[in-house]
């Protein structure tokens, strides 16, 4: 009996030592990371422990020190608190979501569930028909679709040289010109008819000529006072109405012009997937083995088939391994990434030089994957619905999708580039040139009259006038000596 009891004690001791060593080995496994405890009440004895597989993707699951955090980590903690279970969270070994390999086996998180290496998968895992055939999914906790992620400078069209005219349509500019001319004509007409503006037409000169009326209207458009000043009540009424019109017009122009300069969506030439196929400047691809890739493969849409054929022929160059690699490639090269729109919205919020094209196709959802006939599928679905009805899912979405792009963009703002205001500078240059030419023409006309009166040559008088106005005394004196010798 003593020998048998001694042998039993040795066996039990050996089993306990082996168990402790295996647990210590698991703690050192780089794929198993500590996660925050769901609830202090959920750590009690007797509660079931689930092995949860996930994948590293910002902001769903991220490594912070020795722990994991993110949207899916907090979602898992909330589910564990509601359903009263403990969990052991680990990152998927091959870094894949789940697709059928060449041998017919599943990779990624789906493969781990099929091989009983994990009980559930809590990750941005898209619910598809192929995956639904081998595993079960809960009610989706996030809705998404397929979009196109672009870099703003590669996706934006070159600004028109007269981009400053963009806030208004051609019809609006035509109506504005007509309103301006009609208002100035009314000012001219009313000022002629009103006795307060012209008491004695035979002896006085009316200041509201048509040219002066045009100048008065232009001054109102520039928010500047311009003479002549109206005296009659009828003229003042027209002037006040025109001032109010110009204030509203300028407010609308400034608001629209600011929106055009600060937003890049109006300048995107790639609005749809058809635009993406037609262009030749950008390469495009998606995650290798992802549901997005198989969506285009199985789609009967001709445009989608063209996208799939392009990615299949160049899969070594356009398909990426991870989402982080895709975002980095979009930022560093002429590359457009096709993927989940909700993840692209996050990338555009975190990186201010990125933008998502407007079109979104293939509405889908992210669900929690479990083994088929698992007793956890229905309770998890009900728990997800309760979290949605309580607003907890919206809270998590707002928390982890909070944009820092606005703050960063303020730090990066600089002076406007010349192409955006090139037309304004051109208009200013033309106006300055016309002003100089007009001044020279006026001076030339005055010089001709003075030359005819003094019986001198027109060129000498013109030179004297320029030197006098520019105060070039030496040149003026030399020109006078030259003219004196010529007369002698």
């Amino acid at each position: 009996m003593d020998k048998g009891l001694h042998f039993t004690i040795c066996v039990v001791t050996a089993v306990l030592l082996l168990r402790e060593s295996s647990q210590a080995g698991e703690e050192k496994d780089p794929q198993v990371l500590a996660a925050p405890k769901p609830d202090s009440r959920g750590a009690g004895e007797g509660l079931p422990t689930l092995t949860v597989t996930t994948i590293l993707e910002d902001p769903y699951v991220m490594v912070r020190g020795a722990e994991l955090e993110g949207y899916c980590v907090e979602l898992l903690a909330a589910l564990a608190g509601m359903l009263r279970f403990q969990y052991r969270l680990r990152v998927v070994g091959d870094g894949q979501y789940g697709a059928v390999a060449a041998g017919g086996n599943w990779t990624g998180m789906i493969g781990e569930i099929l091989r009983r290496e994990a009980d559930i998968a809590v990750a941005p895992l898209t619910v598809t028909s192929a995956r639904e055939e081998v595993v079960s999914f809960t009610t989706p906790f996030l809705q998404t679709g397929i979009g196109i992620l672009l870099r703003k400078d590669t996706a934006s069209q070159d600004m028109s040289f007269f981009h400053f005219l963009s806030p208004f349509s051609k019809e609006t500019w035509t109506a504005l010109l007509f309103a301006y001319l009609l208002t100035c004509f009314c000012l001219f007409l009313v000022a002629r008819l009103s006795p307060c503006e012209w008491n004695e037409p035979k002896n006085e000169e009316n200041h509201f000529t048509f040219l002066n009326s045009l100048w008065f209207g232009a001054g109102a458009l520039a928010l500047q006072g311009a003479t002549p000043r109206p005296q009659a009540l009828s003229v003042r009424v027209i002037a006040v109405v025109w001032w109010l019109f110009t204030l509203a017009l300028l407010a609308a122009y400034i608001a629209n012009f600011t929106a055009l300069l600060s937003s890049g969506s109006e300048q995107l030439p790639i609005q749809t997937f058809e635009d993406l196929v037609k262009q030749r400047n950008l390469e495009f691809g998606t995650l290798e083995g992802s549901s997005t890739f198989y969506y285009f493969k199985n789609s009967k849409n001709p445009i989608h088939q063209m996208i799939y054929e392009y990615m299949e022929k160049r899969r070594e160059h356009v398909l990426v391994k991870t989402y982080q690699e895709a975002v980095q490639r979009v930022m560093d090269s002429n590359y457009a990434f096709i993927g989940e729109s909700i993840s692209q919205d996050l990338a555009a919020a975190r990186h201010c030089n990125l933008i998502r094209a407007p079109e979104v196709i293939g509405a889908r959802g992210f669900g929690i994957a479990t083994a088929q006939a698992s007793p956890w599928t229905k309770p998890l679905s009900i728990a997800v619905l309760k979290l949605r009805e309580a607003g907890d899912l919206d809270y998590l979405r707002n928390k982890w999708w909070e944009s820092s792009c606005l703050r960063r963009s303020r730090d990066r703002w600089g002076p406007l580039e010349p192409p955006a205001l090139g037309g304004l500078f051109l208009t200013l240059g033309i106006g300055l040139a016309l002003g100089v030419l007009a001044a020279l023409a006026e001076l030339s006309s005055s010089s001709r009259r003075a030359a005819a009166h003094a019986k001198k040559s027109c060129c000498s008088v013109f030179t004297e006038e320029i030197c006098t106005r520019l105060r070039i005394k030496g040149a003026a004196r030399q020109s006078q000596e030259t003219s004196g010798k010529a007369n002698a």
Side-chain angles (χ1 to χ4, degrees):
M1 289 293 293
D2 294 339
K3 292 182 178 180
L5 181 60
H6 180 71
F7 177 76
T8 303
I9 293 174
C10 291
V11 170
V12 173
T13 304
V15 170
L16 291 176
L17 291 174
L18 289 174
R19 183 178 179 182
E20 290 179 359
S21 63
S22 63
Q23 290 179 351
E26 289 176 354
E27 292 177 357
K28 295 179 181 179
D29 188 352
Q31 295 180 356
V32 180
L33 296 147
K37 296 203 181 241
D39 198 327
S40 59
R41 297 171 297 174
E45 296 181 359
L47 296 181
T49 301
L50 300 181
T51 301
V52 183
T53 181
T54 188
I55 191 170
L56 294 177
E57 181 175 329
D58 186 13
Y60 302 98
V61 180
M62 300 173 290
V63 179
R64 290 294 183 269
E67 293 186 349
L68 294 175
E69 68 174 18
Y71 178 93
C72 289
V73 177
E74 293 196 13
L75 173 63
L76 178 60
L79 294 174
M82 295 177 63
L83 301 179
R84 308 289 295 169
F85 66 84
Q86 302 180 73
Y87 58 88
R88 175 175 168 271
L89 186 60
R90 63 190 302 274
V91 179
V92 62
D94 59 3
Q96 300 293 323
Y97 288 87
V100 181
N105 298 323
W106 281 81
T107 62
M109 292 177 284
I110 302 297
E112 290 190 352
I113 293 178
L114 293 177
R115 294 189 297 269
R116 305 295 180 180
E117 298 175 4
D119 297 310
I120 61 175
V122 182
L125 190 61
T126 307
V127 180
T128 63
S129 58
R131 292 171 178 171
E132 191 76 53
E133 291 179 356
V134 294
V135 298
S136 297
F137 281 96
T138 65
T139 301
F141 57 85
L142 272 180
Q143 298 294 334
T144 182
I146 300 177
I148 308 171
L149 184 66
L150 307 160
R151 196 172 75 246
K152 288 183 179 179
D153 56 346
T154 59
S156 299
Q157 292 177 336
D158 294 334
M159 286 188 177
S160 171
F161 201 62
F162 292 93
H163 186 63
F164 72 98
L165 298 176
S166 300
F168 290 157
S169 64
K170 296 179 180 179
E171 293 78 8
T172 304
W173 286 114
T174 304
L176 173 60
L177 179 62
F178 178 77
Y180 167 70
L181 294 176
L182 180 62
T183 303
C184 294
F185 177 76
C186 290
L187 282 172
F188 167 73
L189 181 62
V190 171
R192 288 273 174 174
L193 297 176
S194 175
C196 296
E197 290 289 342
W198 197 345
N199 292 325
E200 298 181 9
K202 294 182 179 180
N203 300 328
E204 296 181 358
E205 181 181 356
N206 189 283
H207 296 291
F208 267 99
T209 64
F210 188 68
L211 291 179
N212 287 345
S213 300
L214 292 176
W215 177 247
F216 181 85
L221 282 174
L223 298 181
Q224 300 293 324
T227 54
R229 301 185 183 278
Q231 298 178 0
L233 177 62
S234 56
V235 181
R236 289 180 178 180
V237 168
I238 296 178
V240 169
V241 172
W242 177 244
W243 289 337
L244 293 177
F245 174 80
T246 55
L247 282 175
L249 183 75
L250 290 174
Y253 176 85
I254 293 173
N256 290 347
F257 193 43
T258 303
L260 285 174
L261 293 176
S262 60
S263 176
S265 59
E266 294 82 1
Q267 298 297 323
L268 280 179
I270 300 177
Q271 300 279 340
T272 64
F273 284 86
E274 184 176 0
D275 298 333
L276 184 64
V277 173
K278 291 180 179 179
Q279 59 84 35
R280 293 294 180 268
N281 297 326
L282 299 177
E283 293 183 325
F284 53 88
T286 186
L287 290 175
E288 185 177 4
S290 64
S291 60
T292 302
F293 179 81
Y294 289 99
Y295 173 86
F296 288 99
K297 179 180 180 180
N298 300 325
S299 176
K300 303 301 180 182
N301 189 304
I303 300 297
H304 299 171
Q305 280 296 309
M306 294 174 64
I307 294 176
Y308 167 72
E309 292 174 0
Y310 174 89
M311 294 189 297
E312 180 64 26
K313 291 179 181 179
R314 301 169 177 82
R315 61 182 307 140
E316 295 183 358
H317 302 286
V318 300
L319 297 184
V320 294
K321 301 294 183 182
T322 63
Y323 179 77
Q324 290 76 12
E325 179 187 351
V327 173
Q328 192 64 38
R329 186 169 178 181
V330 173
M331 296 177 63
D332 296 340
S333 62
N334 293 336
Y335 181 78
F337 173 62
I338 302 174
E340 301 293 345
S341 60
I342 191 171
S343 300
Q344 294 175 348
D345 290 338
L346 176 69
R350 299 286 175 84
H351 306 281
C352 302
N353 59 337
L354 300 182
I355 190 172
R356 180 176 62 81
E359 186 181 29
V360 176
I361 61 175
R364 54 184 61 190
F366 292 155
I368 300 174
T370 65
Q372 287 186 339
S374 171
W376 291 100
T377 306
K378 187 174 181 180
L380 286 171
S381 294
I382 296 175
V384 168
L385 290 175
K386 289 182 178 180
L387 291 175
R388 178 178 299 167
E389 293 170 357
D392 293 339
L393 295 183
D394 293 334
Y395 167 76
L396 291 178
R397 168 68 187 271
N398 295 333
K399 175 183 178 180
W400 292 102
W401 267 258
E402 183 180 4
S403 174
S404 60
C405 184
L406 180 61
R407 176 179 56 81
R408 293 180 182 178
S409 63
R410 288 174 180 172
D411 296 338
R412 296 179 183 178
W413 280 351
L416 293 176
E417 296 296 329
L421 302 177
L424 284 176
F425 285 109
L426 177 62
T427 304
L428 177 62
I430 294 175
L432 294 176
L434 291 176
V436 172
L437 292 176
L440 293 177
E442 293 173 353
L443 185 59
S444 176
S445 176
S446 175
S447 300
R448 283 197 300 269
R449 290 194 297 269
H453 180 73
K455 297 181 180 180
K456 296 181 180 180
S457 65
C458 181
C459 292
S460 62
V461 175
F462 182 76
T463 304
E464 291 176 5
E465 291 289 341
I466 291 181
C467 293
T468 302
R469 282 161 175 76
L470 297 179
R471 297 182 180 180
I472 307 176
K473 298 181 179 179
R477 188 180 300 109
Q478 183 178 1
S479 62
Q480 290 175 358
E481 293 176 356
T482 306
S483 61
K485 293 181 181 179
N487 294 331

